[in-house]
Amino acid sequence: MGILKAGAVYVPLNTAYPTERLKFILENAGANYLVYTGESIINTFDLGISNSWSFDACKAASAQNPGIITAPESPVYIMYTSGTTGKPKGIAVCNRNVLKLVFEPGVIAVNASDRMLQWSNYAFDGSTYEIFGALLNGASLQLIKDEWASDAAALSGVIHNEKVTVSFITTALFNAFMDTAPEKLLGMRRILFGGEMVSLPHVKRGLEVLGNDRIIHVYGPTETTTFATAYPINSIENGRTIPIGRPLANTRLYVLDAGGALAPMGVPGELLIGGDGVALGYINNPELTSEKFVVNPFGQQSDDRLYR
């Protein structure tokens, strides 16, 4: 919050990453400062940044809001994902992208009365929905310990005891919830999950225990700011898979054939995503940015882009 109030951009680092990966991220992003939480962490990594501030030292600074205003297209964070070559790709996400996600009016909307589970590591884009979705809508954010993140029994206990109402989890963890104690999720208003093929038996179990209008299958790459589509699961048709759903608000989806034309219904093609969630592009990688972020041939404005 301090970084954003200062009008700067944050680059989250996952301390589970090897030192060389962290060094690449810092160099690629052009990081000026490093904020860390403990001396043991900074001593573990030789990251080569002289301007390093401990969080304890930062707490002694002024708490007054400096009143700096940033533009809708100003970057908020740079989040890194692994590229096909193994080198991390830094994706720059702006104010407009985040606001589009967290003020979504549809099935993934967050209400002021909600209690959001922050399951995602802050170096993973799911945290954008959790942190800003909760705090910018006046909701509560329930933090967890690292070791609970993959423990379905521990997490379901937290969800039940802390009266969590909204969460995003991976498909694998959703399946684990359904295999252990799905009844502990009865207090939840929305359970968002995604990331891999849906297991129909597990969704069926979820519907039996939780009922309709609670289980939401979501999809979206980091380049389109966490979620681009959503599908409320209220029934399972025989022989059908669960789709990724329909576009969220201010989002457009196109399925194009090999020639770049709109593919007919039922014909396989390439998915391109447009709208206010499309990120600014890749940091210091203009070639890949121009390849993946393309002008929308169906758009009304020259700056309308699609992510391939």
Side-chain angles (χ1 to χ4, degrees):
M1 294 302 167
I3 291 168
L4 295 179
K5 284 185 176 183
V9 181
Y10 73 87
V11 183
L13 298 178
N14 188 340
T15 54
Y17 292 160
T19 299
E20 288 307 309
R21 180 183 174 95
L22 296 178
K23 281 186 173 181
F24 174 86
I25 290 174
L26 290 171
E27 181 179 351
N28 185 255
N32 307 98
Y33 301 96
L34 181 67
V35 179
Y36 61 93
T37 52
E39 295 297 333
S40 61
I41 290 180
I42 202 68
N43 292 334
T44 301
F45 303 99
D46 178 21
L47 299 178
I49 289 192
S50 57
N51 294 317
S52 298
W53 297 337
S54 73
F55 186 67
D56 286 338
C58 292
K59 288 193 292 186
S62 170
Q64 183 175 352
N65 191 334
I68 294 173
I69 305 299
T70 55
E73 301 306 319
S74 295
V76 171
Y77 62 77
I78 303 170
M79 196 160 289
Y80 280 78
T81 62
S82 294
T84 54
T85 62
K87 276 192 171 183
K89 299 178 297 182
I91 301 159
V93 173
C94 69
N95 283 308
R96 185 188 304 279
N97 301 149
V98 175
L99 293 176
K100 176 263 173 196
L101 172 70
V102 303
F103 293 122
E104 163 67 30
V107 293
I108 70 165
V110 180
N111 303 325
S113 59
D114 278 322
R115 298 174 69 90
M116 174 79 77
L117 178 71
Q118 188 186 339
W119 176 79
S120 304
N121 184 291
Y122 50 80
F124 174 59
D125 69 336
S127 64
T128 304
Y129 173 73
E130 295 163 344
I131 296 172
F132 298 114
L135 301 185
L136 293 183
N137 284 294
S140 302
L141 191 62
Q142 177 65 44
L143 310 185
I144 61 171
K145 295 182 179 180
D146 284 346
E147 58 265 28
W148 296 349
S150 57
D151 187 335
L155 272 182
S156 61
V158 171
I159 289 171
H160 176 74
N161 295 332
E162 302 299 331
K163 298 179 173 56
V164 170
T165 61
V166 179
S167 74
F168 164 69
I169 54 177
T170 61
T171 301
L173 187 55
F174 173 84
N175 295 344
F177 275 142
M178 296 305 109
D179 287 335
T180 52
E183 65 279 356
K184 287 193 174 182
L185 309 182
L186 280 170
M188 296 196 68
R189 187 176 66 81
R190 292 282 191 269
I191 305 172
L192 283 60
F193 77 100
E196 57 188 288
M197 181 71 78
V198 176
S199 167
L200 296 182
H202 288 95
V203 168
K204 183 177 180 182
R205 174 64 174 156
L207 289 176
E208 289 172 350
V209 175
L210 305 175
N212 290 350
D213 298 324
R214 293 196 190 188
I215 305 173
I216 314 294
H217 186 218
V218 290
Y219 164 81
T222 304
E223 288 87 344
T224 61
T225 317
T226 313
F227 306 137
T229 70
Y231 183 81
I233 305 175
N234 291 326
S235 63
I236 299 175
E237 298 182 33
N238 291 332
R240 296 288 298 275
T241 57
I242 301 297
I244 62 172
R246 296 184 177 277
L248 300 178
N250 295 343
T251 304
R252 296 179 296 281
L253 303 183
Y254 302 90
V255 179
L256 305 185
D257 62 22
L262 291 172
M265 188 72 71
V267 174
E270 181 181 20
L271 177 64
L272 283 80
I273 303 172
D276 288 341
V278 177
L280 298 175
Y282 299 111
I283 291 294
N284 295 324
N285 198 334
E287 295 83 6
L288 188 61
T289 297
S290 61
E291 176 189 342
K292 295 295 186 180
F293 294 85
V294 298
V295 174
N296 182 0
F298 313 103
Q300 302 297 317
Q301 299 176 342
S302 58
D303 59 349
D304 191 5
R305 299 177 306 139
L306 302 176
Y307 172 69
R308 295 177 62 184

